Structure formats: structure tokens, C-alpha cells
Amino acid sequence: EMQLVESGGGLVQPGRSLTLSCTTSGFTFGDYGMSWFRQAPGKGLEWVGFIKSKAFGGGTTEYAASVKGRFIISRDDSKSIAYLQMNSLKIEDTGVYYCNGDHGDVDAFDIWGQGTMVTVSS
Amino acid sequence: QTVVTQEPSLTVSPGGTVTLTCASSTGAVTSGYYPNWFQQKPGQAPRSLIYFTTQKHSWTPARFSGSLLGGKAALTLSGVQPEDEAKYYCLLYHGGAQRWVFGGGTKLTVL
């Protein structure tokens, strides 16, 4: 069974950093592009960014304008884990963060994790 | 700032047919926007239903179909079931700085 499990969420003060992990199993991680999405409480979905697979997409990264320069997405293919490093956090970064896997980097956004909550508050 | 617009809410009777649409403030939606559709039920993660405008995943029920309709992306549910009650989000690719942009979602009520 293909699984993505996010971890690392919690309460953090504005201006601080937090790193989320997306641990995967049940599929060939190296063949998947990995994206991060988020959802503020009671609001809609927002794309945060992605890292392409090295096999199909050269491992390139792209970010939403709202997080560019503050967030970094990386991947460890040997461990089948994707990461979202969040720096200079703002209150408006609060929400549930979902990771997503896309087989072959074809923008089909196949597999979703269950999400991890990040609360930015003083 | 690119805005993607969906109907805020729709109501359909069980067994009926309903079409949800997805428009972009940049102009007519084409296949080059790579429309995706997702279903999200309360307290759950989203689930991908449609990609590349019309393509279904192996788990997508046959009653769901994607298309382009009048300059918008569309998701049609034919023979609606009670379990289809959910919020549906479209996602469009815009390139540039904004890349992928979601619509605000359509809350579908089956009544």
C-alpha cells in the first residue's frame, strides 16, 4: 500500500523555523515528484511548492510566491523522505500541511498524506 | 494576482447530474492549464480525481468526468451518490511566479 506520512508539525513562534518530513512507503520514491500543499483553518487549499524527481524532472524545485525565499523543499531518495524546511515563519503560515506524490512528474498529484498541523503563534 | 473561480455551492439530488466549473482570471481555460480536480471530505485529506483535464486515476469512480466547457474546466458527476457530498477543488497551472493556483472550492450537497 502506498503511504505518505507527514510529521514535524506543532506550535512555533513567529520568525522561528520548523522542518516537516514526509515519510513514504509502498512505491518507488525516486520515480515521484513531491509537492507540499497547505490549508489554513476553515480555508481552501494552497500549493506551496514541489521538488521534481531526479529521474524525470532533474530534481528541480519551485515555490509559491508566498513562501519563496523562506521555504526549502528537499528530498532524500535513499530514505524515501521529502522535507519542507520553513524559515521566518509568519502567523499566516498556520495550517495543515500535506505532502503529495506525483508519479513520473506528470502533474497528476496521485498520492496524498494525511497532513500535519503547523501553528504559528506567539 | 491570478484568481481561480468556482461555484461556492451546488445542490443535487441523488441519481442526478451536476457540473462544477473552474474559471481563471487570466482568460479561457485550455488543456495547457493542466486542470486537476480534487475531492475533500470534512476532516480528511484531499483525494485526486481528475488530471490533464479529462484523465481519471484508477480509483476515480466512472461517474466522474472532466472536460472543458465554455472556456472553463468542468467536472461532471452523473448518477450522484450520497457519498459524493464533499468539497471539490480545481487546480490550474499558470506558469510564471504563481505556478499552480487552486479555486476556492465548491461545496456539493446531495439532497
Side-chain angles (χ1 to χ4, degrees):
Chain A
E1 181 192 2
M2 297 187 290
Q3 274 198 317
L4 290 77
V5 179
E6 301 91 340
S7 60
L11 176 63
V12 60
Q13 292 179 325
R16 304 298 290 264
S17 297
L18 195 66
T19 297
L20 306 182
S21 300
C22 174
T23 303
T24 73
S25 60
F27 60 94
T28 305
F29 183 77
D31 289 345
Y32 281 70
M34 299 300 296
S35 297
W36 287 91
F37 297 87
R38 66 185 181 184
Q39 188 168 34
K43 302 296 184 183
L45 295 167
E46 181 186 11
W47 172 73
V48 172
F50 64 66
I51 183 166
K52 295 288 190 181
S53 68
K54 291 170 187 170
F56 296 100
T60 58
T61 55
E62 294 287 350
Y63 302 92
S66 58
V67 306
K68 195 169 186 177
R70 299 188 299 123
F71 288 13
I72 300 171
I73 298 173
S74 60
R75 61 189 297 151
D76 186 334
D77 288 4
S78 68
K79 295 181 179 178
S80 298
I81 300 176
Y83 301 96
L84 176 63
Q85 180 182 337
M86 303 183 291
N87 303 314
S88 303
L89 281 161
K90 304 176 181 180
I91 290 175
E92 54 263 38
D93 293 320
T94 294
V96 176
Y97 283 72
Y98 296 102
C99 67
N100 173 278
D102 176 28
H103 183 236
D105 289 309
V106 294
D107 300 326
F109 304 107
D110 312 49
I111 323 165
W112 291 77
Q114 284 304 302
T116 187
M117 183 69 198
V118 172
T119 303
V120 184
S121 174
S122 54
Chain B
Q1 174 103 2
T2 301
V3 176
V4 175
T5 301
Q6 298 181 244
E7 297 87 0
S9 64
L10 291 169
T11 300
V12 61
S13 300
T17 297
V18 64
T19 296
L20 290 63
T21 67
C22 175
S24 173
S25 62
T26 61
V29 175
T30 66
S31 58
Y33 284 72
Y34 301 101
N36 277 262
W37 290 92
F38 304 92
Q39 178 192 65
Q40 187 177 35
K41 296 181 178 180
Q44 295 185 15
R47 180 172 76 135
S48 180
L49 294 173
I50 299 287
Y51 63 101
F52 285 173
T53 309
T54 62
Q55 300 302 300
K56 300 179 187 182
H57 293 281
S58 58
W59 54 81
T60 304
R63 60 184 179 275
F64 290 85
S65 63
S67 64
L68 295 175
L69 198 63
K72 301 178 183 181
L75 176 70
T76 299
L77 289 71
S78 304
V80 172
Q81 301 296 307
E83 60 264 30
D84 297 334
E85 185 162 292
K87 197 149 189 178
Y88 292 85
Y89 291 93
C90 68
L91 178 64
L92 300 179
Y93 179 76
H94 286 82
Q98 292 213 265
R99 291 288 189 262
W100 292 98
V101 182
F102 278 98
T106 297
K107 179 175 169 55
L108 182 66
T109 300
V110 181
L111 201 58

